Amino acid sequence: MKDKSFSSRWGFILACVGSAVGMANVWGFPFRMGSLGGSAFLIVYLFFILIFSYCGLSAEYAMGRRTGTGTLGSYEYAFKSRGMDKLGKFIGWIPLIGSFCIAIGYSVIVAYVLKALVESVTGTLMHVDTTQWFDSFALQNYSVVIYHFIVILLVVISLSVGARGIEVTNKIMMPAFFVLFVILAIRVFFLEGSTGGYEFMFKPVWSDLKNPMVWIFAMGQAFFSLSVTGSGMLVYGAYLPKGENIVRSSLSTAFFDTVAAIVAALVMIPACFAYNVDLAAGPKLLFVVLPEILQDIYLGRIFAIVLFLAVVFGGISSLQNMFEVVIESLMYKFPNVKRKTFLTMLIIACFGISVNMEAIFTWGPWMDLISIYIIPIGASIGAITWFWVMDKNEIIGEVSEGAAKLHHKLWYKLGKYVYVPIAIVLCAIAIIKGISF
């Protein structure tokens, strides 16, 4: 079908980068880096990004392309090869439900960002107590209903024509995201006192590598920043034409995702050093701390618009993937039902549920529940399925399709004996310790 493939390798990569780039990059990475050793965290993060993109991300792309479908179809295919048809038809629903559930809470966060963008444009945000402003909607349900509905509507419109809609919108949003954040990073560079932030980020303090929490959170941040959740990247892999080099595309996705995280950190961390504010502020870093800083600098209103516009782009591109995962799987299960019907159902279901959790004390615990339990379990199921259930020769053959160099022993062994155990360990840590990555 015309709407079920990307027209170019760069279109595919930008769509995948759009899925990966989001709140995990904008405040998750700066927050973790700022509270866990700065440069030490970055070193460990880069190490795991390389492993996860080479093994996990490429495996999901390969499974999607091999089966020509997304979550439900890929699990059914893998388990059927082992004669476990019934298990395959059931188990794919776990990561799929995770994608939908995370979209419910995520849409609220993006609604917050859209509100901040609008009030940056009108100038309202430049003349308020940012703490009171944030509390005025973050502590109330039904406080951002209009913005919330607009966010979901924009996502659905962009998905109405399938893969091509995802590709076209990300060809605009992702370059804009990078350009806008680079502009912000340049402005922050000239803030007095910002130099301490760069030293914190890039001057290694090797003793911090002895802290096990640096390794655990860097591992988790790398894992979920790439959207290797056993679901999301399968559907984009299904839209990838034969002949494209999967490993190269995986490493390219990881590269741009990492650049996005570092550029976001180059905005957040030096700015916090310049104004001597806490890097461990979580959501308030984006909605309270940075707006307060922007109120104080020359042309702050312009830079506020730039900041929140970039974050809106990142948020919508991530939501596109979360929605598309569900839509594609429903179409796989019910091929006689039109795509627009599922889009309508999805917008009603997502908005109908998420509109009741617009207060941070509602969506916060919801997101913790999903990210501590459902997402890690789904990611572990995916890792085990690709490297322990799926036929070895089939997945190696698909990964090697279009590659100048065949990927055999090293790729498969790293996936089976390094990547899979890491996924299981992270899942266990999340559940036992109640840690949200």
Side-chain angles (χ1 to χ4, degrees):
M1 291 174 61
K2 185 178 179 181
D3 65 346
K4 287 199 69 176
S5 64
F6 293 108
S7 64
S8 66
R9 175 174 173 266
W10 278 109
F12 166 74
I13 290 172
L14 287 172
C16 293
V17 171
S19 170
V21 170
M23 299 307 160
N25 302 79
V26 172
W27 85 52
F29 180 81
F31 160 67
R32 294 298 185 196
M33 190 177 182
S35 57
L36 289 165
S39 57
F41 180 88
L42 179 61
I43 291 167
V44 179
Y45 176 80
L46 293 174
F47 170 73
F48 284 116
I49 280 285
L50 183 61
I51 293 176
F52 297 162
S53 59
Y54 180 62
C55 298
L57 191 56
S58 57
E60 291 207 3
Y61 288 164
M63 279 301 304
R65 190 170 72 177
R66 184 70 174 182
T67 61
T69 186
T71 307
L72 298 183
S74 292
Y75 283 95
E76 286 184 17
Y77 185 92
F79 279 88
K80 187 176 182 179
S81 68
R82 296 282 186 174
M84 296 184 285
D85 302 44
K86 290 184 178 179
L87 181 58
K89 289 181 178 180
F90 161 76
I91 205 163
W93 285 98
I94 298 173
L96 184 68
I97 290 170
S99 293
F100 178 67
C101 289
I102 206 77
I104 289 172
Y106 201 91
S107 65
V108 178
I109 303 172
V110 183
Y112 282 17
V113 180
L114 182 59
K115 177 180 174 64
L117 171 60
V118 170
E119 298 197 8
S120 297
V121 172
T122 62
T124 304
L125 189 56
M126 297 296 101
H127 307 287
V128 296
D129 179 302
T130 57
T131 299
Q132 291 181 3
W133 172 79
F134 180 65
D135 289 348
S136 69
F137 60 88
L139 299 181
Q140 297 183 51
N141 274 321
Y142 312 109
S143 56
V144 288
V145 173
I146 296 175
Y147 301 106
H148 194 169
F149 183 75
I150 290 172
V151 165
I152 294 178
L153 188 61
L154 287 173
V155 174
V156 171
I157 291 172
S158 69
L159 292 176
S160 61
V161 292
R164 295 300 170 87
I166 299 169
E167 180 178 358
V168 169
T169 52
N170 276 284
K171 279 183 175 179
I172 298 169
M173 291 191 297
M174 281 303 96
F177 176 93
F178 284 98
V179 170
L180 293 172
F181 259 99
V182 167
I183 291 171
L184 286 167
I186 293 171
R187 178 64 185 90
V188 168
F189 176 79
F190 291 101
L191 293 176
E192 185 178 350
S194 65
T195 53
Y198 304 114
E199 183 175 341
F200 176 77
M201 289 179 64
F202 299 117
K203 184 178 180 180
V205 179
W206 302 110
S207 60
D208 287 338
L209 293 174
K210 297 177 183 179
N211 181 358
M213 299 309 291
V214 170
W215 289 81
I216 289 171
F217 279 102
M219 207 166 27
Q221 182 71 26
F223 200 93
F224 296 110
S225 178
L226 289 174
S227 293
V228 190
T229 59
S231 183
M233 291 308 191
L234 289 168
V235 69
Y236 284 178
Y239 300 159
L240 182 64
K242 292 286 187 181
E244 290 294 338
N245 187 324
I246 279 178
V247 171
R248 184 177 65 181
S249 295
S250 300
L251 294 175
S252 296
T253 301
F255 172 78
F256 287 109
D257 178 66
T258 303
V259 170
I262 292 174
V263 171
L266 285 171
V267 174
M268 305 286 185
I269 293 177
C272 288
F273 267 80
Y275 281 83
N276 194 30
V277 296
D278 186 12
L279 279 163
K284 288 190 175 182
L285 182 64
L286 181 61
F287 296 107
V288 176
V289 175
L290 279 178
E292 188 173 5
I293 292 172
L294 291 167
Q295 287 177 349
D296 191 53
I297 67 175
Y298 179 63
L299 296 178
R301 180 178 173 184
I302 300 299
F303 289 108
I305 294 170
V306 169
L307 170 66
F308 291 113
L309 181 61
V311 180
V312 165
F313 285 160
I316 287 178
S317 62
S318 294
L319 279 168
Q320 280 181 327
N321 177 259
M322 297 170 196
F323 278 37
E324 183 64 18
V325 168
V326 179
I327 294 166
E328 193 283 335
S329 283
L330 291 175
M331 291 180 68
Y332 169 81
K333 276 297 195 183
F334 308 99
N336 295 324
V337 181
K338 293 182 179 180
R339 181 183 179 89
K340 289 182 179 179
T341 301
F342 285 126
L343 277 167
T344 303
M345 291 170 57
L346 191 61
I347 191 173
I348 293 171
C350 186
F351 185 71
I353 298 171
S354 59
V355 75
N356 295 297
M357 55 173 65
E358 291 183 348
I360 195 169
F361 53 76
T362 308
W363 66 257
W366 171 268
M367 294 292 277
D368 285 342
L369 175 68
I370 304 305
S371 59
I372 290 172
Y373 298 102
I374 297 179
I375 296 297
I377 290 171
S380 298
I381 289 171
I384 292 167
T385 301
W386 319 144
F387 289 101
W388 286 90
V389 177
M390 182 64 187
D391 180 81
K392 173 183 175 180
N393 293 326
E394 276 202 71
I395 194 165
I396 287 177
E398 193 62 44
V399 167
S400 298
E401 173 76 27
K405 182 181 179 181
L406 300 181
H407 299 274
H408 288 294
K409 294 182 179 179
L410 176 62
W411 180 84
Y412 194 74
K413 286 184 176 179
L414 278 174
K416 193 168 187 175
Y417 301 112
V418 177
Y419 172 69
V420 173
I422 287 174
I424 294 171
V425 166
L426 278 174
C427 181
I429 291 172
I431 293 172
I432 295 170
K433 298 291 186 180
I435 293 174
S436 173
F437 293 108

